[in-house]
């Protein structure tokens, strides 16, 4: 391509994409649904904002707002444009913040449940720092599985079938669920030898926090007991608390193999009975729509998958 062709292409982009001033003022008007409020926020006159919006509409050859009696409303074209402009501005602002704070582009934000963070990610941090010393990890945790993403989330970890409309997924690993207890509890009690034995055993249960999450009641039904009447010694909303209670010897908990691998390796928990349920769903790493797969992502996948990276 000749230099003159490049110049023409750049000028073509400049003709198609209006000034940042017009886009910034459009975003403010669309977000606040008011020319007056947008002008106040931006520190300019309402006339200046109106002029920029008219410039934008003339450039695109379409109306972006319905001007009502005492309100404005985005047209279909305005709504579509606002989605792109708002996301782009937020991402640019995020990058500016990172650079200004000296964080740089090596920070990765991962959204996941508290259980996954505490039981799968944190025990592997030492290995991650050895493998990727320049990487800075930011965890955004919540009680239930992430069903939507904030704009600053780079990756999310979900449990499900891997088919989500708001992102592309990469398979991490499947799961097995089986009873576990502490060595102290097993020394003082008789381990159940059949599914029906669990009906009279001190059980520790946690609330279902995501689609596909298995409680004791569901676990027993999967093994054939359709109407189990269970004896709970302790119930809690957090799976982390359930595992901690089991470690302290308060009863038997359900162990999700991928989450408690380090507890089994360290001997804090023991797997009892041969009974196991394998959920149909699995864990996936999800890249939210509009995000690109960063070069560091494959290293994160390998790190999350490999149990040899566990620290005791």
């Amino acid at each position: 391509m000749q230099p003159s062709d490049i110049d023409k292409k750049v000028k073509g982009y400049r003709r198609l994409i209006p000034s940042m001033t017009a886009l910034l003022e459009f975003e403010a008007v669309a977000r606040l649904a008011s020319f007056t409020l947008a002008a106040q926020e931006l520190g300019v006159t309402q006339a200046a904002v109106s002029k920029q919006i008219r410039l934008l509409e003339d450039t695109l050859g379409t109306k972006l707002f319905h001007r009502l009696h005492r309100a404005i409303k985005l047209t279909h074209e305005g709504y579509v444009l606002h989605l792109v402009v708002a996301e782009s501005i937020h991402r640019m602002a995020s990058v500016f913040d990172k650079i200004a704070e000296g964080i740089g582009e090596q920070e990765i934000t991962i959204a996941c449940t508290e259980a996954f963070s505490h039981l799968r990610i944190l025990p592997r941090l030492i290995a991650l720092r050895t493998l990727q010393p320049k990487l800075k990890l930011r965890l955004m945790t919540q009680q239930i599985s992430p069903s939507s993403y904030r704009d600053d989330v780079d990756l999310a970890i979900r449990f499900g079938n891997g088919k989500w409309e708001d992102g592309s997924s990469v398979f991490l690993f499947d799961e097995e669920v089986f009873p576990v207890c502490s060595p102290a509890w097993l020394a003082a009690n008789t381990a159940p030898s059949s599914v029906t034995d669990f009906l009279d055993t001190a059980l520790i249960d946690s609330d279902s926090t995501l689609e596909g999450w298995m409680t004791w009641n569901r676990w027993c039904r999967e093994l054939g007991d359709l109407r189990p009447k269970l004896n709970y010694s302790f119930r809690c909303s957090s799976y982390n608390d359930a595992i901690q209670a089991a470690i302290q010897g308060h009863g038997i908990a359900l162990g999700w193999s991928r989450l408690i691998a380090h507890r089994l390796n360290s001997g804090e928990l023991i797997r009892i009975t041969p009974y196991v349920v394998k959920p149909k769903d699995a864990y996936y790493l999800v890249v939210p729509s509009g995000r690109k797969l960063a070069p560091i992502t494959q290293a994160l996948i390998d790190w999350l998958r490999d149990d040899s990276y566990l620290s005791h």
Side-chain angles (χ1 to χ4, degrees):
M1 185 179 289
Q2 299 297 319
S4 58
D5 295 330
I6 297 176
D7 290 341
K8 290 178 181 178
K9 191 166 185 176
V10 170
K11 290 178 180 178
Y13 285 138
R14 288 174 181 169
R15 184 170 62 253
L16 290 173
I17 302 176
S19 70
M20 278 300 297
T21 300
L23 291 176
L24 287 170
E25 295 191 8
F26 164 73
E27 188 279 332
V29 173
R31 172 167 44 83
L32 298 171
S34 168
F35 285 88
T36 301
L37 294 178
Q40 292 174 356
E41 179 180 282
L42 297 168
V44 297
T45 64
Q46 182 177 337
V49 172
S50 297
K51 180 180 179 181
Q52 291 295 332
I53 300 302
R54 285 197 302 271
L55 171 65
L56 197 54
E57 291 177 328
D58 291 343
T59 302
L60 295 173
T62 187
K63 293 293 183 181
L64 298 175
F65 295 96
H66 296 296
R67 275 77 167 177
L68 307 176
H69 178 52
R70 290 188 176 181
I72 59 171
K73 183 179 179 181
L74 285 167
T75 63
H76 172 73
E77 292 78 9
Y79 175 78
V80 172
L81 181 62
H82 181 243
L83 287 179
V84 176
V85 172
E87 179 183 356
S88 300
I89 289 175
H90 182 91
R91 293 182 67 179
M92 285 189 290
S94 178
V95 171
F96 285 137
D97 286 342
K98 288 180 180 180
I99 295 174
E101 295 173 6
I103 296 175
E105 287 300 303
Q106 278 293 300
E107 182 179 78
I108 299 291
T109 299
I110 299 180
C112 62
T113 63
E114 292 179 357
F116 198 96
S117 170
H118 292 179
L119 299 174
R120 187 79 190 180
I121 291 180
L122 293 179
R124 289 168 165 73
L125 275 183
I126 293 177
L128 181 63
R129 289 180 176 177
T130 301
L131 293 168
Q132 301 291 335
K134 294 183 179 181
L135 175 66
K136 295 181 180 179
L137 192 64
R138 179 183 176 216
L139 292 179
M140 292 182 58
T141 61
Q142 53 194 63
Q143 186 70 16
I144 62 175
S145 183
S147 58
S148 60
Y149 309 112
R150 284 177 33 174
D151 292 337
D152 52 351
V153 170
D154 300 304
L155 302 167
I157 295 168
R158 278 183 172 177
F159 185 77
N161 60 13
K163 299 177 182 179
W164 295 285
E165 295 181 354
D166 56 352
S168 57
S169 60
V170 179
F171 175 81
L172 285 178
F173 37 70
D174 52 17
E175 262 291 9
E176 293 184 345
V177 185
F178 45 76
V180 294
C181 67
S182 70
W185 188 93
L186 188 59
N189 298 272
T190 302
S193 58
S194 67
V195 177
T196 55
D197 286 346
F198 284 100
L199 302 181
D200 298 317
T201 302
L203 303 179
I204 302 169
D205 202 21
S206 60
D207 295 341
S208 177
T209 57
L210 49 83
E211 185 178 356
W213 188 257
M214 193 162 295
T215 60
W216 272 110
N217 197 278
R218 181 177 174 184
W219 188 83
C220 289
R221 290 201 306 269
E222 290 284 339
L223 292 176
D225 192 338
L226 300 180
R227 302 183 66 183
K229 295 182 179 179
L230 302 172
N231 173 35
Y232 297 113
S233 65
F234 183 68
R235 300 184 69 179
C236 53
S237 61
S238 167
Y239 184 67
N240 299 330
D241 292 341
I243 290 302
Q244 192 60 40
I247 291 173
Q248 294 177 4
H250 296 296
I252 301 176
L254 282 175
W256 288 67
S257 63
R258 300 294 189 170
L259 298 184
I260 65 165
H262 65 296
R263 301 296 192 184
L264 295 172
N265 290 347
S266 68
E268 293 174 283
L269 290 175
I270 300 173
R271 178 176 178 173
I272 56 174
T273 82
Y275 297 105
V276 61
V277 172
K278 297 182 179 181
K280 295 179 181 179
D281 291 336
Y283 285 102
Y284 292 85
L285 190 72
V286 183
V287 182
S289 299
R291 298 278 180 175
K292 293 183 178 180
L293 198 64
I296 194 67
T297 302
Q298 187 58 51
L300 288 172
I301 292 172
D302 295 339
W303 165 69
L304 284 169
R305 285 175 174 166
D306 196 339
D307 284 339
S308 67
Y309 290 150
L310 287 171
S311 59
H312 303 310

